[in-house]
Amino acid sequence: MSPAMRAQSFAGRRGLGFVLASPSGAGKSTLSRLLIEQDREIALSVSVTTRAKRSSEIDGVHYHFISRNRFQALRDHGELLEWAEVHGNFYGTPREAVEQAFSAGRDILFDIDWQGTVQVKEKLPEDVVAIFILPPSMKELAARLHRRAEDSEEVIAKRLDNAKVEIAEWRRFDYVIVNEDLTRAYDDVKAILRTERLKRFRQTGLEGFVEGLLAEG
Ligand code: ADP
Ligand code: 5GP
């Protein structure tokens, strides 16, 4: 077999669900954005939420912004893979988009909290890898929330209160990254994704490829 044919035949891969979670302000959206821009093999799972849209957000891109009634209907009809109440709002992952991506062998990035992470890991135990992003200090977390300037003082205070509760759940994750230097944290995220993609059971094209190797004269 020529090297080109061989490259083709081992390329098959099973889709991977990649969770990036963190207390609000630690940097998960920044890291997610970099990954989505630079890695063509992964797409963002766009959640539904009942929270009000921020000025920088686009409906259908960052979230699907929906009413509480609509959220309840989706949840009650089993259309959410997971859902949770976070900071007084409801958030959920539409099931269908995830199923479509996985069956097409594409990776999906989840920007969800620890409660959602527990649910997707339970439902898709082989297919989900979860990373928790920590801030270098609580002082820096507060500074980042203020610097982002997207939320009111009241919302920031609520998010800082919740941060300690969320940080206490760190043991539920497969990997933990302290996001002090953004470039370094992003390199770590890429390294984990690259390694997880190489896991033997995710490389579905290997079976035939190895058979071919063994059959070579
Ligand atoms: P999250 O999605 O976790 O709520 P964001 O990604 O929105 O957090 O980051 C919060 C703020 O902190 C943003 O203004 C972002 O630019 C900034 N930020 C993210 N990572 C770093 C870092 N390593 N150093 C300094 N500022 C950062
Ligand atoms: P924000 O309002 O800052 O966009 O998000 C608040 C929190 O909700 C973050 O921790 C974010 O990861 C989480 N979140 C966003 N979408 C979902 C979702 O679909 N499910 C769950 N469980 N959490 C979500």
Side-chain angles (χ1 to χ4, degrees):
M1 198 190 287
S2 73
M5 279 172 70
R6 197 178 290 160
Q8 252 181 13
S9 58
F10 70 67
R13 200 163 59 70
R14 174 165 148 176
L16 169 71
F18 201 55
V19 176
L20 272 186
S22 76
S24 187
K28 69 182 166 309
S29 303
T30 307
L31 291 163
S32 301
R33 197 162 49 239
L34 286 170
L35 202 58
I36 292 295
E37 280 167 10
Q38 294 176 18
D39 188 327
R40 296 282 141 229
E41 291 178 53
I42 196 162
L44 185 67
S45 160
V46 181
S47 297
V48 292
T49 182
T50 60
R51 135 160 112 60
K53 190 172 87 61
R54 296 182 185 134
S55 57
S56 62
E57 290 174 327
I58 301 166
D59 192 9
V61 174
H62 299 94
Y63 285 104
H64 301 287
F65 295 94
I66 60 172
S67 67
R68 284 193 170 228
N69 280 346
R70 175 93 184 107
F71 188 94
Q72 275 160 11
L74 290 176
R75 188 188 58 193
D76 296 347
H77 289 107
E79 288 178 41
L80 301 179
L81 181 63
E82 62 73 35
W83 69 273
E85 185 176 353
V86 191
H87 314 308
N89 296 300
F90 290 104
Y91 296 82
T93 301
R95 174 192 297 281
E96 202 182 316
V98 176
E99 283 170 358
Q100 277 174 6
F102 277 4
S103 57
R106 286 196 312 271
D107 298 333
I108 286 262
L109 178 63
F110 297 103
D111 175 343
I112 59 178
D113 83 326
W114 69 269
Q115 304 172 82
T117 304
V118 169
Q119 296 171 54
V120 290
K121 277 177 90 59
E122 229 169 71
K123 287 188 179 152
L124 307 163
E126 293 271 87
D127 295 321
V128 172
V129 173
I131 303 184
F132 198 47
I133 311 292
L134 286 174
S137 66
M138 295 309 285
K139 201 171 151 211
E140 172 63 13
L141 186 67
R144 285 184 192 171
L145 283 172
H146 283 106
R147 240 182 283 139
R148 186 167 70 185
E150 297 253 22
D151 298 305
S152 66
E153 281 304 316
E154 191 193 338
V155 169
I156 290 179
K158 192 166 177 184
R159 286 175 180 240
L160 280 172
D161 262 1
N162 276 336
K164 289 198 170 159
V165 177
E166 290 170 30
I167 289 171
E169 304 295 336
W170 68 283
R171 289 183 185 82
R172 298 181 185 273
F173 292 80
D174 303 305
Y175 298 91
V176 176
I177 296 174
V178 178
N179 176 21
E180 181 155 32
D181 175 74
L182 183 62
T183 308
R184 194 189 161 99
Y186 182 52
D187 280 348
D188 288 343
V189 168
K190 283 190 295 186
I192 294 165
L193 186 52
R194 189 166 177 186
T195 306
E196 289 290 342
R197 283 173 172 162
L198 289 170
K199 284 259 171 81
R200 174 170 40 81
F201 72 91
R202 294 209 172 93
Q203 297 197 62
T204 49
L206 274 184
E207 204 71 44
F209 172 68
V210 172
E211 258 173 46
L213 277 184
L214 295 176
E216 268 185 45

